[in-house]
Amino acid sequence: MATVLPRMISFLLNPLFVKKLPTAEFANVSIIFAYLVIFNVILSYGMETAFFRFYNLEEDKKKVISTSTISIFWSSLLFLAIALVYRATIADFISVKTAFVTYTIWILVLDALVIIPFSKLRAEKRPMQYAVIKIGNVLLNLVLNVFFLVILPTISSDNPLSTIYFENFQVGYIFVSNLVASLATFLVLSPNYFRINWKFDAVLWKKMMTYALPILVAGLGFAINEHFDKILLEKMHVPKTDIGAYSACYKLGMFMVLFRTAYTLGIEPFFFSHADKDDAPQTYATITKYFVILGSFILLFVIVFIDIFKVLLVPSEDYWFAMKVVPLIVLANFFLGIYTNLSVWYKLIDKTHIGAIISIIGAILTLLINFWLVPALSYYGSAIATIVAYGSMMLISYYLGQRKYPIPYDVKRIGAYMGVAILLSALSFYIPVFRQSYIFGIFALIVFGYYIYHYEKETVLRILKRK
């Protein structure tokens, strides 16, 4: 809930931003958020995952808490000092107002300072408190955005609140909302800083950093694959109106992201808890097949009804010229979900550095294909880069995994389900006569559903008969 619900709430922010911002201003928001994601990874530098690893390994839990907290605390303050000094230079580099950069710096630091307190809540098995704070953060952000972008402009001049209203400051209000939400979260969790003993264990820290650095590299790889295209498009002089439309339509891929995220949160603990079972490889293979089945159906469903979803989530025709990227982005996120399944092998044999290497390969492909295709295809080249990067990561992980930790995947059946779903989705979206009417799309969903039932009938009936 704490991870998926905030992503769902972001669905509500996308149409709000689309309605209130011109495409060029939406581009500015998207570019700054891209930097925000990348620097979030840098400022956490894998310490969150290292915390969990060593919290479970070390007998002295307090030592792990204090060492990781002190590390994040001082690295965040160092970043704050340097970034504030050079904020004008940074603003010139990314072509936005200095005020927006200042807000972003503070958001980054406040978010970094709550990494270990949040991790501590999870480690101490306090999920309700964790969820309430996480969801509260997003709800506060949503309410403030609605207030600043919708309510505040309608307040009369004699209202005291009118003094905080500024013309053409919509982008600024978006970052002010984020900043207030981040500050509120920090204040709620700040007592954690008064409860630790502030003793730093250098030997433990070196061990944690050795474990964390490959995770940092992997995280940067994913951040580049997911967000760096918006930054590259701006640097390659693609018009900001195009970047804004691309970024807004890109959000329609969130349907697959939500499915992938919810699934990953539930399945990763199961992968590890089941690792010592004799039937583990067969179980992993079966789970992956049914992930592909459900993901294929979601892919087809989203593409068939994409023109309905665009009215709800991208409610401005000024943005719709970038809709052609949506099938590629949805499919790319599907590939990433399959990669998550396939990546279980290197986690089980403690070869997490392989995940970092695969992420680096994906990031390199993202950069190279962007530089190659964007001059000719603009933002469509970025969408192609995303699908090639995630598809390559998926195939590389499968190839290496079968050599190091063989899992009997039903490749023939998995490939058939994916192939049929992709073909029907392409026909539904790219052939005008089919897209103008939902008759073909609904028929395609029925046919695909029957196709799944035909080959998985025994399993489906067994599930339905369970009490």
Side-chain angles (χ1 to χ4, degrees), residues 158-454:
D158 58 349
N159 190 305
L161 290 175
S162 65
T163 57
I164 62 173
Y165 175 69
F166 303 99
E167 290 280 352
N168 302 317
F169 194 65
Q170 291 93 333
V171 174
Y173 286 132
I174 290 171
F175 289 102
V176 168
S177 300
N178 275 268
L179 176 57
V180 173
S182 294
L183 177 60
T185 302
F186 172 74
L187 291 175
V188 169
L189 292 170
S190 60
N192 286 273
Y193 282 90
F194 300 100
R195 294 174 186 150
I196 65 171
N197 55 20
W198 288 89
K199 290 183 179 179
F200 184 77
D201 189 319
V203 175
L204 174 62
W205 182 78
K206 289 178 182 178
K207 292 179 183 178
M208 295 181 76
M209 288 302 297
T210 301
Y211 184 86
L213 287 178
I215 297 165
L216 166 61
V217 174
L220 280 175
F222 274 112
I224 289 171
N225 289 331
E226 189 75 15
H227 298 281
F228 202 67
D229 52 353
K230 287 83 174 176
I231 297 170
L232 276 180
L233 289 171
E234 194 269 335
K235 293 303 174 187
M236 297 178 76
H237 307 295
V238 172
K240 284 196 173 180
T241 53
D242 289 359
I243 300 173
Y246 167 68
S247 300
C249 292
Y250 193 103
K251 290 283 189 180
L252 291 170
M254 283 292 292
F255 288 103
M256 190 63 74
V257 174
L258 287 173
F259 166 60
R260 170 172 57 82
T261 303
Y263 170 85
T264 301
L265 286 169
I267 207 62
E268 280 204 337
F270 174 80
F271 280 156
F272 287 106
S273 65
H274 206 75
D276 59 346
K277 303 290 192 298
D278 293 336
D279 64 343
Q282 182 59 54
T283 301
Y284 298 151
T286 303
I287 288 171
T288 299
K289 182 173 76 169
Y290 286 100
F291 173 86
V292 171
I293 289 172
L294 189 52
S296 297
F297 192 85
I298 291 172
L299 169 70
L300 180 57
F301 184 86
V302 171
I303 299 305
V304 165
F305 296 107
I306 198 64
D307 287 322
I308 294 176
F309 293 133
K310 78 178 182 185
V311 174
L312 298 173
L313 299 174
V314 189
S316 172
E317 294 185 14
D318 293 342
Y319 290 77
W320 290 354
F321 64 85
M323 281 295 297
K324 60 185 178 181
V325 305
V326 174
L328 298 184
I329 300 305
V330 177
L331 183 57
N333 278 291
F334 186 26
F335 285 165
L336 183 58
I338 297 172
Y339 166 76
T340 301
N341 274 273
L342 299 177
S343 66
V344 64
W345 67 270
Y346 65 71
K347 296 174 182 176
L348 292 177
I349 62 175
D350 286 331
K351 300 286 186 181
T352 51
H353 67 278
I354 295 176
I357 294 171
I358 295 173
S359 295
I360 292 171
I361 293 172
I364 292 172
L365 284 172
T366 296
L367 296 174
L368 290 177
I369 296 173
N370 268 285
F371 283 121
W372 176 34
L373 293 182
V374 166
L377 300 177
S378 186
Y379 57 84
Y380 199 71
S382 291
I384 294 172
T386 302
I387 197 170
V388 170
Y390 288 154
S392 299
M393 290 167 62
M394 174 183 70
L395 294 174
I396 292 169
S397 183
Y398 171 76
Y399 174 74
L400 293 178
Q402 293 305 94
R403 296 179 63 188
K404 303 289 186 181
Y405 187 95
I407 294 175
Y409 296 113
D410 189 350
V411 176
K412 185 176 179 180
R413 192 69 61 81
I414 286 173
Y417 290 138
M418 288 178 61
V420 171
I422 292 170
L423 175 62
L424 293 174
S425 297
L427 291 174
S428 175
F429 187 86
Y430 291 107
I431 296 182
V433 67
F434 290 159
R435 189 172 173 184
Q436 289 167 5
S437 170
Y438 292 106
I439 295 175
F440 174 81
I442 294 171
F443 177 73
L445 284 166
I446 294 171
V447 168
F448 188 62
Y450 177 78
Y451 179 67
I452 293 170
Y453 176 77
H454 177 74

Side-chain angles (χ1 to χ4, degrees), residues 28-60:
N28 286 330
V29 173
S30 301
I31 291 166
I32 297 173
F33 271 114
Y35 281 110
L36 194 70
V37 171
I38 291 169
F39 276 93
N40 269 328
V41 175
I42 294 172
L43 289 177
S44 65
Y45 49 86
M47 188 57 71
E48 180 180 17
T49 307
F51 171 88
F52 287 113
R53 177 71 168 174
F54 285 87
Y55 188 89
N56 291 317
L57 286 177
E58 297 286 329
E59 290 187 12
D60 190 349

